[in-house]
């Protein structure tokens, strides 16, 4: 009887974690892979692996951090397995077309692209911490759990990343 109670509690906790974090995990993955379909697949895989971990007796105390760490590891695995594609090859395949500067709202789009480019130029150690902090609204403690670092190291990386961005934009 205790086993069925544990399963019910586990199912409730898992469904609650899914409801609370699936959208933010999707955004995090989408920022990294830039492909909606692949991002949806990785979200599904994130939750599948999390369920498998729990079903095998694993205990999760911080669902958000655990899910982000799982997603992050899946993204790393994806990049390791996938050969990179150049912009020229994408243009030849007509999968990529540069934004038209004359489009309405192109000023805002241009600004967004400048910020994205600046973030993309940050060293990876800073970039990931800055994205998790300001795009995904994770606390330094949660980021530390996701990246398996100390909270102090995370805070320093966020500070240095933001400092580099400020220098880039002259503010």
């Amino acid at each position: 009887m205790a086993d069925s109670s544990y399963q019910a509690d586990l199912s409730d906790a898992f469904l609650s974690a899914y409801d609370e974090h699936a959208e933010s995990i999707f955004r995090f993955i989408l920022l990294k892979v830039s492909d909606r379909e692949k991002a949806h697949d990785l979200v599904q895989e994130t939750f599948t692996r999390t369920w498998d971990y729990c079903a095998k007796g694993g205990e999760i105390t911080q669902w958000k951090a655990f899910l982000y760490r799982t997603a992050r590891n899946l993204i790393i695995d994806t990049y390791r397995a996938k050969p990179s594609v150049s912009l020229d090859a994408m243009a030849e395949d007509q999968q990529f077309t540069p934004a038209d500067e004359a489009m309405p709202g192109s000023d805002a789009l241009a600004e967004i692209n400048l910020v994205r480019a600046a973030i993309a130029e940050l060293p990876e150690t800073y970039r990931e911490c800055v994205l998790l902090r300001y795009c995904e609204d994770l606390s330094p403690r949660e980021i530390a759990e996701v990246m398996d670092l100390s909270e102090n190291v995370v805070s320093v990386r966020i500070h240095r990343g933001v400092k580099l961005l400020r220098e880039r934009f002259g503010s």
Side-chain angles (χ1 to χ4, degrees):
M1 187 69 167
D3 189 40
S4 65
S5 173
Y6 171 76
Q7 284 292 355
D9 290 343
L10 175 61
S11 294
D12 290 344
F14 180 81
L15 291 173
S16 177
Y18 181 86
D19 290 342
E20 189 173 340
H21 303 296
E23 287 181 37
S24 61
I25 296 290
F26 172 75
R27 283 191 312 270
F28 170 69
I29 293 172
L30 184 59
L31 277 170
K32 295 287 195 172
V33 299
S34 301
D35 178 344
R36 292 184 79 73
E37 191 169 319
K38 184 68 175 171
H40 281 293
D41 290 345
L42 290 174
V43 169
Q44 180 178 352
E45 183 66 19
T46 296
F47 282 95
T48 300
R49 287 190 182 187
T50 301
W51 178 258
D52 290 344
Y53 174 80
C54 292
K56 292 177 182 172
E59 187 176 323
I60 300 174
T61 56
Q62 298 290 325
W63 283 91
K64 187 175 185 179
F66 186 91
L67 290 167
Y68 273 94
R69 176 180 275 192
T70 303
R72 179 176 179 263
N73 290 340
L74 284 169
I75 292 165
I76 291 168
D77 291 347
T78 298
Y79 279 121
R80 285 181 181 156
K82 176 183 165 188
S84 62
V85 178
S86 73
L87 291 177
D88 293 333
M90 290 172 66
E92 288 174 12
D93 292 342
Q94 296 179 354
Q95 296 174 355
F96 174 79
T97 53
D100 182 6
E101 293 299 323
M103 289 175 49
S106 64
D107 289 341
L109 182 59
E111 244 180 75
I112 290 170
N113 287 334
L114 281 174
V115 172
R116 282 185 179 165
I119 291 172
E121 290 175 7
L122 286 175
E124 178 63 27
T125 54
Y126 301 155
R127 180 176 48 238
E128 190 158 16
C129 288
V130 168
L131 286 173
L132 287 170
R133 179 71 181 120
Y134 296 106
C135 293
E136 298 306 322
D137 202 30
L138 269 66
S139 70
R141 175 173 285 151
E142 291 170 323
I143 297 168
E145 290 178 34
V146 169
M147 297 181 73
D148 198 26
L149 300 168
S150 74
E151 191 174 343
N152 189 48
V153 168
V154 168
S155 295
V156 168
R157 287 182 181 181
I158 291 168
H159 175 76
R160 289 180 181 168
V162 169
K163 182 179 177 186
L164 288 173
L165 289 172
R166 284 187 178 138
E167 289 172 2
R168 167 82 187 260
F169 291 106
S171 52

